[in-house]
Amino acid sequence: MLNDQRLLACAGHVSGKGIACDVGTDHAYLAAYLVKSGKCGFVIASDVKDGPLLSARATIEKYGISDKVMLVKSDGLDNIPPDNVSDVIIAGMGAELICSIIEKAPWLKNGVNLILQPMTRAPFLRRWLCQNGYETDAETAVKDSRFFYAIIKAHYTGISHTPDEVFENIGKMDLSDDVSREYAKKQAERLFKAGKGMLEATGGETNSALETAQKIKKLLEG
Ligand SMILES: C[S@@+](CC[C@H](N)C(=O)[O-])C[C@H]1O[C@@H](n2cnc3c(N)ncnc32)[C@H](O)[C@@H]1O
């Protein structure tokens, strides 16, 4: 029923220990999959807009699961009842928006499993998580036609630090996995190009982008 690799990878990180909340659910495809696959007994599917919530309702009615999915109109997690929520998925949004949604919901610090899939600026999200006491448990890379997506599983520990640039760019990707290796290679190429551009503009022999690209390349060779 769900053939979107990106959403399937998000589902793969859901613990299923309690209620899952899919923030920005749009058509509720992920919410429906979590229930129909038996991974979750109950899901909250939320969106800030009415149009997506209408599409979500159509999906859950189509699958006959209206009693197992609660639709909530909410800006981020503002209107979500936190009781028994074990997993929060925020997928398909920009990194800055994901960070602001997490920041506004301090109850996420009580052991909630976060599954985050930024459409832009994954390095920004990884740094923000580290600096705000969230530890990344694992990451998955997904390639959908020519685009790569990172799916980040994280939880709050309260231990804050600033990560190095290698972590910012490839996080906890499992480099024994082919798609994750491709993801890392692409990040190294992007950094190399940016670093070269900076050298041409400012001169000098190296810069942090080039050094990070080199370190990622070494990890891939090692
Ligand atoms: C690109 S869709 C992603 C849908 C789905 N999560 C996915 O990954 O395929 C983004 C959805 O997030 C919703 N959204 C945007 N900002 C939001 C916010 N602050 N709170 C809740 N939902 C939001 C949009 O209305 C839209 O339905």
Side-chain angles (χ1 to χ4, degrees):
M1 63 171 286
L2 183 64
N3 56 14
D4 181 325
Q5 293 307 313
R6 182 179 58 82
L7 291 180
L8 280 170
C10 289
H13 286 300
V14 172
S15 75
K17 287 180 182 160
I19 296 171
C21 176
D22 180 26
V23 180
T25 195
D26 203 353
H27 287 83
Y29 293 145
L30 176 62
Y33 175 78
L34 289 171
V35 170
K36 290 297 282 180
S37 66
K39 184 131 200 187
C40 296
F42 195 82
V43 175
I44 298 173
S46 76
D47 209 286
V48 73
K49 290 191 192 146
D50 291 324
L53 285 170
L54 281 175
S55 307
R57 180 163 304 286
T59 301
I60 63 170
E61 281 174 2
K62 176 180 159 193
Y63 288 108
I65 50 172
S66 302
D67 56 335
K68 296 197 169 77
V69 180
M70 179 164 82
L71 295 178
V72 179
K73 186 171 180 181
S74 176
D75 182 357
L77 290 155
D78 291 359
N79 301 333
I80 307 300
D83 313 322
N84 300 321
V85 172
S86 58
D87 299 85
V88 167
I89 307 114
I90 314 175
M93 295 184 207
E96 290 92 339
L97 179 55
I98 293 176
C99 296
S100 77
I101 290 173
I102 298 171
E103 196 160 39
K104 281 201 291 165
W107 56 269
L108 294 176
K109 293 178 177 171
N110 301 330
V112 176
N113 180 36
L114 295 178
I115 298 109
L116 311 170
Q117 184 272 302
M119 294 308 268
T120 55
R121 302 193 67 194
F124 175 92
L125 176 57
R126 292 189 186 101
R127 186 172 61 246
W128 187 92
L129 288 169
C130 289
Q131 289 179 335
N132 286 274
Y134 287 89
E135 183 180 326
T136 296
D137 304 305
E139 286 199 35
T140 308
V142 171
K143 193 178 180 187
D144 190 354
S145 61
R146 61 194 183 90
F147 294 109
F148 281 96
Y149 302 103
I151 290 113
I152 301 169
K153 178 183 186 295
H155 74 284
Y156 186 76
T157 61
I159 301 164
S160 307
H161 70 283
T162 297
D164 64 24
E165 288 183 46
V166 171
F167 186 87
E168 274 185 30
N169 283 282
I170 62 169
K172 278 222 174 131
M173 288 286 170
D174 171 9
L175 295 184
S176 65
D177 168 69
D178 286 346
V179 184
S180 300
R181 288 181 71 78
E182 254 194 277
Y183 177 95
K185 193 167 164 247
K186 203 168 155 64
Q187 303 316 307
E189 285 165 3
R190 179 180 55 76
L191 287 163
F192 188 74
K193 210 171 148 194
K196 278 275 188 204
M198 277 189 264
L199 274 195
E200 276 161 28
T202 60
E205 287 184 2
T206 189
N207 53 47
S208 68
L210 282 177
E211 282 164 15
T212 307
Q214 199 58 36
K215 283 179 194 164
I216 295 174
K217 209 170 147 237
K218 269 212 176 108
L219 283 176
L220 285 166
E221 287 163 1

